[in-house]
Amino acid sequence: MTDPETLDVTIVDGYVDEPAHFGVPPYISTYPRYAAGALVDAGVPREQITYHTIDELRDDNAVWRDVEAADLMVYVGGMTVPGKYVGGTPAEPDEVRELAWTANGTSIMGGPVRFGVGEANEGASETARDDLDFDFLAMADVEAAVFDLVESGLEGFNDRYRDIEEETRWARSGAFVVEQHPNHPEYLICEMETSRGCPYRCSFCTEPMYGNPDFRPPESVVDEVDALSDRGVKHFRLGRQADILAYGGDGEAPNPDALRRLYGGIREVAPDLETLHLDNMNPITVVKWPEKAREGIRIIAEHNTPGDTAAFGLESADPNVMSDNNLNVTADQCFEAVKIVNEVAGWRPGGEKGTAPNFGDNAARRLPKLLPGINLVHGLKGETRETFEHNKRFLQRVYDEGLMLRRVNIRQVMAFEGTDMADTGAEIARDHKQLFKQYKQEVRETIDNPMLQRVAPPGTVLPDVHLEYHQDGKTFGRQLGTYPLLVGIPGERELGSVVDIAVTDHGYRSVTGVPYPLDLNSASMNELTAIPGIGRSTAGDVVVNRPYESVADIDVASIERFATTQSGEGAD
């Protein structure tokens, strides 16, 4: 019998991306935190638990020694929706196998990887269950498996799901592991679970495999936020749920009182938090219970931070695809839900709530508090060329009606065992791949770009942009939050630093900006020419005639939205 107090344990985070759970940096998912808490609860000393991300292993061969030497190696990961990532790269199957081969001790893997593994993490693909040469594969909760495995002396476990009491304990006792994340503390956002499971059964989705919704009490979530806040975390996202509006209710109808206790409690224990965002909101909930939904959305917008996004799973605006795949909302219903969120939460800090959605020349210069985002999935049963037209018409209608979407997420289906799509597979998606690429580009040009200009017009201020990488003479960074805008800044600035940005121009899903406020007496030519209305000739005149006492000395419309003047001493 192995004594838990003697165990050295290494947790490797290969990152997760599920319909209602995200864990690619700068996010950290619940899985490694809860696994660490389960280990402590089972008797493993905290100082003998090591956490690494898969990117750390890629960057430093010496880190592999922790995998090799561990008595128990725990791998968490798995992608059940495909995506493109900036902050980290999810583990590929061959990398995960190498972990198993390297580990000399007992190895166990878990998380959404249990639903299946493809040849690569990408859309238009089928998956199959595969233990990737690990000793154990947790087919239910990996944290429960880890607890039971340690309790058994590393002999084995029965697959099971943890209960609320265990989750509450493990969430608090595992909070310490965030301090070992390479992004801690400044550039790390914790994914928070409020519930899992879903009452609906869309053909492609893995979330119903968790069963019907199972809600954590507000006190449990708030206690976890409290523990993470004590460990230096200031960024949180309530992303681990199928529908935030249904929180604390019967699984379908909104419960504003539960949302008030949840959000109010979080603000009470973490008054200095810097990000409080959410992810999923079911549009059918908004239209079936509009008054309760409005109250719930109002509560969220009162407590969250700007730039929040409620992801709407429309999936397809084609009525035939909707019926063939058991989708739960029509295009008309989704449009109505988009309108309601815009009216209740599409106001900007400093703007008028009663006139939402706020945009245009007179709108306040921050991102709206909460906007809907639209998820569209292609390759579903019944999809034809007309499906793409249905989707484009829906998006155009939203724009033409003067509403705002924070983003449009377009992807191709991944087919997993246990879902209805397993029979269809990815054949339709592969057949439509070229059509999909053309359509996606058209949406980016005709919807994403003009919508982004509406959501974040020139002069919009984005505080606390974290600078991540250099490319083509620019520095790129993002705020922390749900679906943050990618920001390109002229020049190569110090990576890892944090700057406030004023938006100057727009791409399809990104913006260009300059540091805010930009000092006219020290700004570079590239920074000056990024400001609307300043070409190279005017920028040259600005440089030659420095220093300035006031921005009013520059004859450029609305320049005060971007620039200031500091002391002219020492200015070139």
Side-chain angles (χ1 to χ4, degrees):
M1 186 74 172
T2 304
D3 184 352
E5 292 189 359
T6 68
L7 290 178
D8 285 314
V9 183
T10 295
I11 299 172
V12 177
D13 189 349
Y15 312 144
V16 304
D17 193 354
E18 301 182 80
H21 200 174
F22 193 49
V24 181
Y27 285 83
I28 181 171
S29 72
T30 66
Y31 292 112
R33 293 163 14 216
Y34 291 5
L39 289 164
V40 171
D41 200 28
V44 180
R46 282 183 182 175
E47 59 272 16
Q48 290 165 213
I49 300 171
T50 300
Y51 167 85
H52 291 302
T53 67
I54 190 66
D55 282 313
E56 286 182 90
L57 294 171
R58 293 173 179 136
D59 294 340
D60 185 357
N61 285 332
V63 175
W64 283 86
R65 295 174 193 154
D66 291 331
V67 175
E68 183 179 12
D71 300 304
L72 174 62
M73 192 272 287
V74 181
Y75 172 77
V76 295
M79 322 297 290
T80 59
V81 292
K84 293 183 178 180
Y85 311 100
V86 175
T89 303
E92 294 287 353
D94 286 346
E95 292 179 305
V96 183
R97 283 193 181 90
E98 187 176 358
L99 288 169
W101 298 338
T102 302
N104 286 329
T106 301
S107 61
I108 178 173
M109 66 185 301
V113 69
R114 71 186 176 93
F115 293 125
V117 179
E119 294 182 3
N121 299 321
E122 60 187 12
S125 61
E126 287 99 3
T127 66
R129 294 202 171 105
D130 190 339
D131 64 10
L132 298 173
D133 297 331
F134 275 66
D135 296 325
F136 296 102
L137 168 61
M139 288 301 295
D141 279 332
V142 63
E143 54 267 36
V146 164
F147 179 85
D148 294 346
L149 183 62
V150 172
E151 286 260 292
S152 75
L154 304 185
E155 294 297 321
F157 59 89
N158 293 318
D159 289 311
R160 69 176 180 89
Y161 290 100
R162 35 86 173 158
D163 58 33
I164 293 294
E165 289 74 18
E166 287 177 318
E167 181 179 14
T168 301
R169 284 201 315 274
W170 298 344
R172 171 166 281 278
S173 58
F176 75 94
V177 85
V178 299
E179 295 181 327
Q180 300 183 42
H181 195 288
N183 287 27
H184 181 271
E186 297 299 330
Y187 198 39
L188 185 66
I189 181 166
C190 285
E191 187 84 324
M192 307 298 299
E193 178 178 313
T194 68
S195 71
R196 58 182 179 178
C198 184
Y200 303 105
R201 298 293 183 267
C202 299
S203 68
F204 62 92
C205 188
T206 56
E207 190 62 22
M209 294 183 185
Y210 290 102
N212 289 323
D214 179 26
F215 298 102
R216 294 174 72 185
E219 310 83 69
S220 176
V221 183
V222 170
D223 183 64
E224 183 179 5
V225 171
D226 189 28
L228 291 165
S229 181
D230 287 345
R231 297 284 179 171
V233 176
K234 293 190 175 183
H235 307 276
F236 303 91
R237 185 176 85 150
L238 305 178
R240 183 67 183 97
Q241 73 272 314
D243 182 7
I244 188 64
L245 277 185
Y247 173 72
D250 61 5
E252 296 186 48
N255 185 342
D257 289 339
L259 285 170
R260 189 175 290 107
R261 288 163 56 206
L262 174 67
Y263 274 87
I266 290 172
R267 281 294 194 170
E268 185 174 343
V269 299
D272 298 324
L273 65 77
E274 296 175 9
T275 305
L276 180 56
H277 281 185
L278 61 90
D279 191 5
N280 296 303
M281 182 183 291
N282 198 328
I284 197 64
T285 307
V286 180
V287 293
K288 286 181 74 173
W289 296 277
E291 293 311 311
K292 283 187 175 182
R294 283 177 180 271
E295 185 180 355
I297 294 165
R298 190 174 300 111
I299 290 166
I300 292 169
E302 287 172 355
H303 291 88
N304 71 351
T305 54
D308 202 357
T309 306
F312 278 0
L314 171 60
E315 319 306 0
S316 179
D318 185 336
N320 292 327
V321 174
M322 178 189 172
S323 61
D324 287 353
N325 294 273
N326 202 32
L327 307 183
N328 62 61
V329 64
T330 67
D332 286 343
Q333 289 172 323
C334 190
F335 176 84
E336 183 61 26
V338 167
K339 184 177 179 183
I340 288 172
V341 173
N342 269 259
E343 291 172 350
V344 178
W347 53 275
R348 303 169 191 259
E352 292 293 329
K353 298 180 183 179
T355 62
N358 300 155
F359 60 87
D361 293 340
N362 296 323
R365 297 174 56 202
R366 293 291 300 280
L367 290 176
K369 287 303 291 295
L370 176 68
L371 291 178
I374 296 295
N375 295 342
L376 296 170
V377 179
H378 285 272
L380 297 176
K381 290 181 288 185
E383 179 179 283
T384 64
R385 297 184 70 90
E386 183 60 24
T387 302
F388 296 86
E389 299 303 318
H390 279 290
N391 288 350
K392 287 188 290 186
R393 284 194 293 269
F394 169 81
L395 295 172
Q396 192 65 54
R397 179 187 179 193
V398 171
Y399 183 81
D400 290 346
E401 290 293 327
L403 302 173
M404 291 186 287
L405 297 174
R406 171 56 195 83
R407 62 100 180 104
V408 180
N409 187 13
I410 303 172
R411 63 183 178 88
Q412 289 186 296
V413 71
M414 295 178 75
F416 287 88
E417 291 182 37
T419 68
D420 291 345
M421 275 302 296
D423 294 335
T424 303
E427 182 178 348
I428 295 172
R430 286 192 291 265
D431 288 346
H432 291 171
K433 198 130 193 172
Q434 188 57 43
L435 180 61
F436 174 80
K437 289 180 179 179
Q438 295 169 352
Y439 145 88
K440 192 172 182 178
Q441 181 65 25
E442 184 177 347
V443 170
R444 298 293 179 239
E445 293 172 354
T446 62
I447 300 297
D448 281 329
N449 180 264
M451 185 67 78
L452 190 52
Q453 294 182 52
R454 180 177 289 177
V455 172
T460 300
V461 176
L462 306 178
D464 300 328
V465 173
H466 294 253
L467 304 185
E468 294 181 297
Y469 65 95
H470 296 139
Q471 183 176 311
D472 300 329
K474 294 182 178 181
T475 305
F476 289 85
R478 298 175 297 170
Q479 294 176 297
L480 277 171
T482 295
Y483 310 107
L485 286 169
L486 183 64
V487 183
I489 308 164
E492 294 194 351
R493 293 179 164 264
E494 181 183 358
L495 299 184
S497 59
V498 182
V499 294
D500 295 346
I501 294 298
V503 174
T504 60
D505 200 2
H506 306 81
Y508 299 149
R509 309 189 79 186
S510 63
V511 297
T512 301
V514 293
Y516 176 80
L518 185 67
D519 181 12
L520 291 176
N521 289 323
S522 61
S524 70
M525 283 285 291
N526 286 338
E527 289 170 337
L528 289 169
T529 55
I531 297 175
I534 297 185
R536 292 202 68 81
S537 176
T538 302
D541 292 341
V542 170
V543 171
V544 168
N545 294 319
R546 292 197 288 217
Y548 299 93
E549 294 295 327
S550 167
V551 293
D553 296 337
I554 307 295
D555 186 21
V556 174
S558 303
I559 194 170
E560 69 280 353
R561 285 179 168 260
F562 308 94
T564 187
T565 54
Q566 297 178 9
S567 171
E569 294 183 13
D572 54 25

